[in-house]
Amino acid sequence: MTPELEKNRIVPQLNTRWLGQHYTYFADVDSTNLAIRQTLDRDPLPAGSIYVTDFQSQGKGRLNRRWSAPRGSSLLFSILFQPDWPVEQHSWLTIIGALAVVEAIEQQTAVLVDIKWPNDLVVKIDGVWHKLAGILTEGMFSTAGFPGSIVLGIGLNVNIQMQEMPPGQTPATSLMALTGQKINRAALLIEILNRIEPRYETAAAGQSPIPQWQGRLITLGQPVRVTHIHSRKQIDGIAEGINQYGHLLVRDASNEVHTVTAGDVTLQTPV
Ligand code: BT5
């Protein structure tokens, strides 16, 4: 039987011009982000190329953390971009990915999803935030301040049963756990990809995705603790705002405002 996420089941239904048109499906792979990078080390790939899998043996989170999901249960994919914009702006891809996933879910199910800075899609269940999806954007930088290639990796828990939920600091949930129904992964992936291309083109033309994203961030206005990954230095303060690159602005007790970028911190939000 043809796997649900195999190329022939997806690409003919895309209404994109370039995104997802170069489509590679793996029954299993170490990590879709890693696999794109490894291919790029050998051969060129067109922008918009996507790698999709049913299982990752070394799924990656940020800061060397792991992303795990039972075989065939989820959406696990990575898309290659080659944007012609400054390096600082590469966080826009995480933002575009988050918005596309949130809207696709809302279009196909009744689940309302919030965003926790910088890269978590979360749902509140009985007063407790649960993680539904995570995004890992990795850049391979060229010289002259331009980012070269960037890989946007998305892991979305679709049909994971309660008893199979991956353990984590934030408890996990899935669309099936939330709706009580098995969700069509192919239809959801198509919807997400169809939403990413126009969002990316709008951003590439200079229109920021940040105002829309900001409206869905649960982090703003909240007390947060930021821990720098290398120095372990901590900042306690209030998450006051977002700058034009999506960095978090945290005001500490002495009124100093710190600009926090996603790459080198962990964030605790007591929500
Ligand atoms: C992320 O990292 O949330 C980014 C995850 C990106 C995964 C995708 S899958 C396709 C592509 N290929 C890859 O190899 N990666 C990308 P972070 O914020 O660091 O969160 C990681 C933490 O989430 C882990 O330490 C666990 O605690 C937790 N976790 C792991 N798997 C989970 C899951 N399925 N659902 C919810 N939480 C999970």
Side-chain angles (χ1 to χ4, degrees), residues 190-259:
I190 290 160
E191 187 67 37
I192 293 169
L193 299 181
N194 283 342
R195 287 170 183 274
I196 291 179
E197 185 181 277
R199 281 195 172 279
Y200 176 80
E201 288 183 343
T202 304
Q207 197 177 317
S208 171
I210 288 178
Q212 239 188 323
W213 179 69
Q214 200 165 333
R216 289 187 180 263
L217 276 183
I218 57 167
T219 317
L220 292 186
Q222 299 290 324
V224 293
R225 166 166 292 176
V226 178
T227 308
H228 193 278
I229 189 68
H230 296 301
S231 66
R232 307 307 298 168
K233 203 181 138 211
Q234 291 187 337
I235 304 166
D236 288 323
I238 302 290
E240 199 173 67
I242 293 288
N243 71 10
Q244 76 263 40
Y245 301 123
H247 302 154
L248 193 65
L249 306 175
V250 177
R251 187 180 293 275
D252 70 16
S254 61
N255 237 0
E256 188 183 343
V257 177
H258 302 262
T259 302

Side-chain angles (χ1 to χ4, degrees), residues 33-207:
N33 270 37
L34 209 57
I36 287 201
R37 296 177 71 134
Q38 283 161 350
T39 303
L40 277 178
D41 285 342
R42 298 189 311 265
D43 301 305
L45 274 177
S49 294
I50 179 169
Y51 281 16
V52 179
T53 193
D54 264 319
F55 183 73
Q56 296 184 127
S57 53
Q58 287 177 58
K60 291 190 346 164
R62 293 185 311 129
L63 313 170
N64 289 324
R65 293 190 288 235
R66 294 299 293 271
W67 188 261
S68 55
R71 183 181 296 275
S73 68
S74 296
L75 286 178
L76 307 163
F77 60 95
S78 301
I79 307 169
L80 173 70
F81 292 89
Q82 282 155 347
D84 189 17
W85 63 37
V87 167
E88 299 78 34
Q89 213 166 293
H90 92 286
S91 52
W92 281 18
L93 281 173
T94 303
I95 293 170
I96 289 165
L99 286 171
V101 172
V102 165
E103 288 180 358
I105 291 171
E106 288 178 358
Q107 202 260 338
Q108 303 228 331
T109 71
V111 176
L112 296 178
V113 185
D114 289 297
I115 303 174
K116 179 178 170 217
W117 187 92
N119 69 324
D120 287 354
L121 301 192
V122 292
V123 177
K124 205 180 224 175
I125 307 170
D126 296 333
V128 179
W129 290 105
H130 285 62
K131 184 157 168 168
L132 180 66
I135 300 179
L136 177 66
T137 306
E138 295 183 295
M140 285 155 271
F141 299 104
S142 70
T143 48
F146 287 98
S149 298
I150 292 187
V151 178
L152 169 66
I154 297 180
L156 168 60
N157 300 335
V158 185
N159 294 320
I160 307 185
Q161 316 223 26
M162 290 288 199
Q163 63 274 20
E164 292 181 323
M165 230 42 100
Q169 216 181 7
T170 307
T173 190
S174 74
L175 292 176
M176 185 161 81
L178 290 162
T179 61
Q181 279 168 356
K182 195 159 186 213
I183 305 291
N184 181 329
R185 287 186 300 151
L188 189 55
L189 178 61
I190 290 160
E191 187 67 37
I192 293 169
L193 299 181
N194 283 342
R195 287 170 183 274
I196 291 179
E197 185 181 277
R199 281 195 172 279
Y200 176 80
E201 288 183 343
T202 304
Q207 197 177 317

